[in-house]
């Protein structure tokens, strides 16, 4: 088996040697899915995983725009249309200076499995640009989004490819992108998700990723007859996912003690309650401030410049910032301090070594493609509402979201339970996602 995996990875490496994040995401799937493929006659000799590693289409394009000083700036835009076997390409857009082909291919690859797990008919894609929204004026953001969409619009559509938000892309950006698409196509249609409520959005979509990550942690805890109530939680990030993970965990009686951004983390021993979170939301979403400013309002808290929050003692950790933000040293600290649940809100936040350390200690560890699937699942619900031209209530959407998260958890148990009863959520999520996409690819022939 080892040699089969090695042989497969050598093929993928030859083609993608300068894409470390993509290779990292593929090897994790290869290690868990290749042994399964070997055990199932129907998948043998069909090179399905190899086909899944090759995007159906990669778009790269120039995004020129004019900044407030009159200078012409050039960014690079991307859309990876990874797999459409079970539905139109679906996945977010990331605007961040670190964006490159490798990062977007890893995200698109994971999205294929994640979207299959939701049980909704969505293929996988991802896109974005190496544009840094920080300290840009509203006008600059709008002009950038318009330029970006003036190319992307030819490649997307409500039955082809439906982008959404990710790092650096929230409601404001989706608005500008939607406006430009509508102008160019002369068509009001559900081509993007994460829209505003008055123009086709869904209730609970902003909350969905963070809420879903907490719901998934609840399901994991329930397997050991435990609940989230009274638990100490560390969260990284302070953007969309982190904010709503904090909100839901607090509502369910947990105490969230950290939040972070790229400049460091804050530690509030008393817990970041609803009132404090409202301050953070105002600070991050409206004023576009830094998390360190939390101390101006709550001086009892501490700020740790340039550090990540994993040295803080907790029961549950929820990385909600970015990829590879939990290294092996962080994992060791978390384990030494008694952390026994990790529910990832971000995509691939834990390095492979960190994941292996969690699993070796048999703690409950959920990979992002399972635990953060609530965001894209609710995007799927937004698409359904757009097609039906109706709006479901908050309660209705939340109920569907909870059901989907609990289904994903069940599927992980189905494919990931080991002989000693330990649930390997990585294996479970990868195989469950693979089976759905692979069956569709088999049925549709070599295309
Ligand atoms: P936001 O842009 O709203 O927030 C991102 C947060 O992470 C900010 O606090 C940001 O800090 C921090 N961050 C970003 N990059 C880095 C970095 N390189 N080092 C340290 N901190 C960093 O994004 P989201 O909350 O939407 O996304 C967070 C994660 O969740 C991502 O991994 C994303 O892929 C994933 N995700 C998002 C979904 C969604 O629906 N939005 C769905 C599923 C997963 P700063 O402001 O300093 O940059
Ligand atoms: O990583 C993700 O799942 C997202 N950024 C959300 C994608 C979506 O289409 O809602």
């Amino acid at each position: 088996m080892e040699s089969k995996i090695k042989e497969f990875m050598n093929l993928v490496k030859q083609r993608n040697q300068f894409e470390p994040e993509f290779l990292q995401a593929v090897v994790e799937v290869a290690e868990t899915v290749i042994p399964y493929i070997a055990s199932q006659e129907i998948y043998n000799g069909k090179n399905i995983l190899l086909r899944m590693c090759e995007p159906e289409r990669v778009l790269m394009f120039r995004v020129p725009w004019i900044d407030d000083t009159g200078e012409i700036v050039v960014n690079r835009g991307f859309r990876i249309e990874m797999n459409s076997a079970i539905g139109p390409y679906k996945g977010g857009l990331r605007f961040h200076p670190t964006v490159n082909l490798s990062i977007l291919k890893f995200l698109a690859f994971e999205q294929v499995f994640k979207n299959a797990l939701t049980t909704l008919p969505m293929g996988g894609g991802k896109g974005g640009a190496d544009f840094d929204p920080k300290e840009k004026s509203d006008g600059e953001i709008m002009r950038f989004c318009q330029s970006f969409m003036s190319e992307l619009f030819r490649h997307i559509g409500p039955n082809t490819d439906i982008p959404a938000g990710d790092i650096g892309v929230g409601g404001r950006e989706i608005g500008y992108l939607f406006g430009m698409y509508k102008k160019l196509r002369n068509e009001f249609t559900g081509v993007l998700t994460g829209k505003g409520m008055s123009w086709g959005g869904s209730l609970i979509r902003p909350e969905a990723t963070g809420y879903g990550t907490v719901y998934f942690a609840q399901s994991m805890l329930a397997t050991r007859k435990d609940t989230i109530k009274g638990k100490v939680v560390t969260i990284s990030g302070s953007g969309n996912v982190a904010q709503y993970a904090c909100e839901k965990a607090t509502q369910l009686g947990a105490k969230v003690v950290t939040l972070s951004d790229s400049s460091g983390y804050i530690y509030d021993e008393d817990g970041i309650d609803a009132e404090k979170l409202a301050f953070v939301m105002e600070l991050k979403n409206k004023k576009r401030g830094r998390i360190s400013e939390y101390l101006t309002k709550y001086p009892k808290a501490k700020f740790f410049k340039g550090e990540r929050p994993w040295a803080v003692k907790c029961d549950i950790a929820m990385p909600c910032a970015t990829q590879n933000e939990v290294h092996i040293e962080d994992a060791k600290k978390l384990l030494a301090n008694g952390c026994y649940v990790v529910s990832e809100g971000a995509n691939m936040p834990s390095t492979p070594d960190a994941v292996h350390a969690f699993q070796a200690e048999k703690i409950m560890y959920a990979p992002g493609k399972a635990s953060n699937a609530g965001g894209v699942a609710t995007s799927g619900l937004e698409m359904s509402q757009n097609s039906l031209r109706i709006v479901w209530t908050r309660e209705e959407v939340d109920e569907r979201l909870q059901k989907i998260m609990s289904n994903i958890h069940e599927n992980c148990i189905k494919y990931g339970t080991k002989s000693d009863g330990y649930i390997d959520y990585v294996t479970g999520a990868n195989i469950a996602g693979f089976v759905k996409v692979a069956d569709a690819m088999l049925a549709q022939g070599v295309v």
Side-chain angles (χ1 to χ4, degrees):
M1 196 48 60
E2 286 280 294
S3 68
K4 263 195 174 158
I5 297 169
K6 230 175 165 178
E7 202 182 306
F8 174 82
M9 282 313 300
N10 280 340
L11 271 176
V12 182
K13 273 182 199 159
Q14 269 171 25
R15 276 206 183 125
N16 306 286
Q17 47 182 318
F18 302 114
E19 297 172 11
E21 292 86 1
F22 176 59
L23 291 172
Q24 183 184 333
V26 172
V27 78
E28 181 212 270
V29 168
E31 281 171 354
T32 48
V33 168
I34 289 178
Y36 178 76
I37 294 175
S39 74
Q40 304 290 312
E41 191 65 34
I42 52 163
Y43 304 128
N44 266 314
K46 300 287 194 319
N47 273 349
I48 301 181
L49 195 56
L50 196 62
R51 287 194 257 161
M52 284 185 186
C53 290
E54 203 57 34
E56 289 177 15
R57 196 173 296 108
V58 173
L59 307 156
M60 277 172 76
F61 48 95
R62 178 170 71 200
V63 188
W65 57 283
I66 297 175
D67 75 12
D68 286 347
T69 68
E71 195 180 329
I72 299 169
V73 187
V74 179
N75 282 103
R76 181 173 286 178
F78 301 85
R79 185 73 181 165
I80 317 294
E81 298 186 331
M82 199 74 188
N83 193 303
S84 62
I86 64 166
Y89 310 107
K90 179 84 195 89
L93 296 171
R94 177 177 290 192
F95 291 168
H96 195 272
T98 57
V99 160
N100 59 33
L101 193 59
S102 173
I103 288 176
L104 293 183
K105 275 177 69 182
F106 113 66
L107 288 162
F109 182 74
E110 294 229 315
Q111 198 81 45
V112 173
F113 293 81
K114 185 196 304 193
N115 293 5
L117 283 171
T118 66
T119 69
L120 302 176
M122 300 182 290
K126 198 86 188 191
D130 59 352
F131 169 75
D132 188 355
K134 277 199 196 84
E135 283 159 33
K136 298 289 188 298
S137 71
D138 208 49
E140 288 176 323
I141 301 272
M142 183 180 74
R143 290 195 296 281
F144 176 80
C145 288
Q146 291 178 339
S147 177
F148 185 83
M149 187 52 89
S150 72
E151 174 57 35
L152 189 68
F153 85 101
R154 325 171 196 283
H155 310 287
I156 63 175
N159 296 309
T160 307
D161 185 351
I162 305 94
D166 194 78
I167 292 176
V169 178
R172 172 177 65 159
E173 291 73 20
I174 294 293
Y176 295 143
L177 291 164
F178 183 81
M180 194 63 181
Y181 181 90
K182 184 164 67 61
K183 183 182 171 84
L184 292 167
R185 286 265 195 219
N186 191 25
E187 191 177 85
F188 192 109
T189 184
V191 66
L192 291 153
T193 58
K195 301 186 289 298
M197 275 317 294
S198 62
W199 41 282
S202 172
L203 290 162
I204 299 286
R205 177 61 189 90
E207 294 89 338
T209 313
Y211 279 18
T213 304
V214 175
Y215 295 150
F216 201 89
Q218 277 188 302
S219 293
M220 290 200 284
L221 284 159
T223 64
R224 299 193 189 175
K225 306 208 164 21
D226 201 352
T227 69
I228 197 167
K229 194 159 189 242
K231 301 295 186 297
V232 175
V233 181
T234 49
I235 294 180
S236 64
S238 50
N240 172 266
V241 181
Q243 290 172 13
Y244 288 105
C246 178
E247 179 168 285
K248 185 50 75 182
T250 307
Q251 283 171 2
L252 294 171
K255 183 164 85 166
V256 177
V257 293
T258 66
L259 287 172
S260 74
D261 61 22
S262 52
S263 52
Y265 78 90
I266 55 122
Y267 172 55
D268 187 337
E269 197 184 353
D270 298 334
I272 301 160
D273 60 17
E275 183 209 308
K276 293 172 181 174
L277 181 62
F279 172 80
V280 172
M281 287 181 171
E282 175 82 17
L283 173 73
K284 297 301 288 187
N285 310 347
K286 300 237 168 71
K287 298 188 182 138
R288 313 226 152 231
R290 307 306 296 157
I291 198 65
S292 54
E293 295 167 53
Y294 184 90
L295 271 64
T296 59
K297 179 89 193 252
Y298 304 106
K300 264 183 73 189
K302 296 193 180 92
F303 177 63
F304 296 84
K305 194 172 173 216
E307 290 183 40
R308 298 187 290 261
W310 314 127
V312 173
K313 188 173 163 53
C314 67
D315 303 301
I316 304 172
M318 295 189 187
C320 296
T322 193
Q323 65 276 356
N324 293 330
E325 55 160 325
V326 183
H327 298 185
I328 180 67
E329 306 77 46
D330 304 313
K332 283 183 183 158
K333 280 182 213 153
L334 284 165
L335 291 166
N337 281 329
C339 170
Y340 66 103
V341 180
V342 176
S343 191
E344 294 183 342
N347 287 306
M348 206 170 76
S350 306
T351 63
D353 286 351
V355 175
H356 292 146
F358 294 144
Q359 293 185 324
E361 290 300 315
K362 304 225 149 104
I363 70 161
M364 292 174 261
Y365 164 75
K369 64 168 82 81
S371 46
N372 74 32
V376 73
T378 309
S379 279
L381 300 177
E382 181 172 330
M383 288 161 66
S384 303
Q385 294 169 79
N386 291 164
S387 298
L388 294 166
R389 300 195 191 283
I390 56 169
V391 178
W392 292 329
T393 64
R394 239 187 117 76
E395 291 70 28
E396 220 170 331
V397 182
D398 196 23
E399 207 174 291
R400 285 175 198 263
L401 168 63
Q402 291 189 44
K403 185 97 202 290
I404 289 169
M405 295 315 293
S406 131
N407 273 338
I408 296 174
H409 185 263
E410 285 302 311
N411 254 314
C412 290
I413 291 182
K414 179 174 170 191
Y415 290 104
T417 306
K418 301 285 172 191
S419 51
D420 63 357
Y422 178 65
I423 306 164
D424 175 344
Y425 288 91
V426 176
T427 300
N430 288 344
I431 297 179
F434 172 82
V435 165
K436 185 163 182 201
V437 179
D439 288 350
M441 288 174 73
L442 280 181
Q444 292 167 22
V446 181
V447 288

